[in-house]
């Protein structure tokens, strides 16, 4: 076993038996969100740059990001990527790509959101995309060609962008910049968008039942245009 993390295991027998180990870390590795299954290394993790690069077998880590950053591999299955910029292109991208450059762009915005860590930026090429959910992740999602050319279309089923929650006290940590959100239809709580901070966007033709925000609910909105939306009682 090489460049691995062995931590928080429980067994009546030895966790590792008759296994040759090299660069194995057995203390708290400092994951991004261990409780919720995010095993990427957080900033300041003791596992960063502590592996043996000569043992590396491939170019990418488990998240399809570069396996070696700063010249030395990290311990664990994810390489620490500080404030990464992710790229999305609905025409030429593939979700199996790393997303780390415009030539290796992911196909869907959701794939980039899932891969991103707090503090990251997602840059989206012109096109029409499926609805997204960010769970209030602290990221910035930018339409590179502005709202006219970068569209999230719900096609009459569900919400365009679920960025946060309906909790009035919730922080709005996801930023959505330069998109059109259109053709949403949902039972309640924001047709176009729920939560988040919206800037330079267009929200149109979105519907929410129950007088709960046809265009948006519990969102902070700047420099945007909202028209043709309705909340039905």
């Amino acid at each position: 076993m090489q460049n691995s993390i062995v931590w928080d295991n429980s067994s009546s027998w030895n966790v590792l038996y008759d296994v040759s180990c090299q660069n194995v870390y057995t203390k708290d590795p400092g994951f991004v969100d261990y409780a919720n299954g995010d095993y990427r290394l957080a900033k300041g993790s003791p596992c960063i740059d502590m592996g043996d690069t000569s043992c590396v077998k491939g170019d990418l880590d488990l998240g399809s990001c570069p396996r070696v950053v700063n010249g030395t591999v990290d311990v664990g299955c994810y390489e620490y990527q500080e404030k990464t910029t992710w790229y999305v292109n609905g025409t030429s991208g593939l979700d199996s790509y790393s997303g780390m450059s415009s030539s290796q762009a992911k196909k869907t915005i959701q794939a980039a959101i899932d891969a991103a860590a707090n503090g990251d930026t997602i840059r989206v090429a012109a096109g029409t995309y499926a609805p997204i959910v960010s769970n209030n992740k602290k990221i910035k999602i930018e339409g590179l060609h502005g709202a006219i050319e970068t569209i999230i279309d719900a096609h009459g089923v569900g919400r365009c962008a679920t960025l946060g929650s309906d909790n009035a006290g919730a922080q709005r940590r996801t930023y959505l910049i330069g998109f059109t959100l259109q053709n949403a239809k949902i039972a309640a709580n924001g047709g176009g968008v729920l939560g988040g901070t919206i800037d330079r966007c267009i929200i149109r033709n979105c519907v929410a039942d129950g007088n709960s925000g046809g265009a948006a609910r519990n969102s902070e909105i700047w420099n945007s245009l909202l028209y043709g939306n309705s909340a039905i009682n």
Side-chain angles (χ1 to χ4, degrees), residues 5 7 25 27-34 38-48 75 80:
I5 296 168
W7 175 68
Y25 195 80
K27 298 180 181 179
D28 186 343
F31 290 133
V32 169
D33 190 355
Y34 175 62
D38 190 340
Y39 304 125
R40 290 172 295 179
L41 302 178
K43 186 175 182 179
S45 165
C47 295
I48 296 173
V75 174
Y80 175 67

Side-chain angles (χ1 to χ4, degrees), residues 183-206:
N183 301 327
K185 190 176 191 308
I186 196 165
N189 298 336
V193 60
L194 174 64
T197 298
I198 310 301
D199 190 9
R200 286 162 276 167
C201 287
I202 298 170
I203 305 177
R204 65 186 182 192
N205 303 330
C206 295

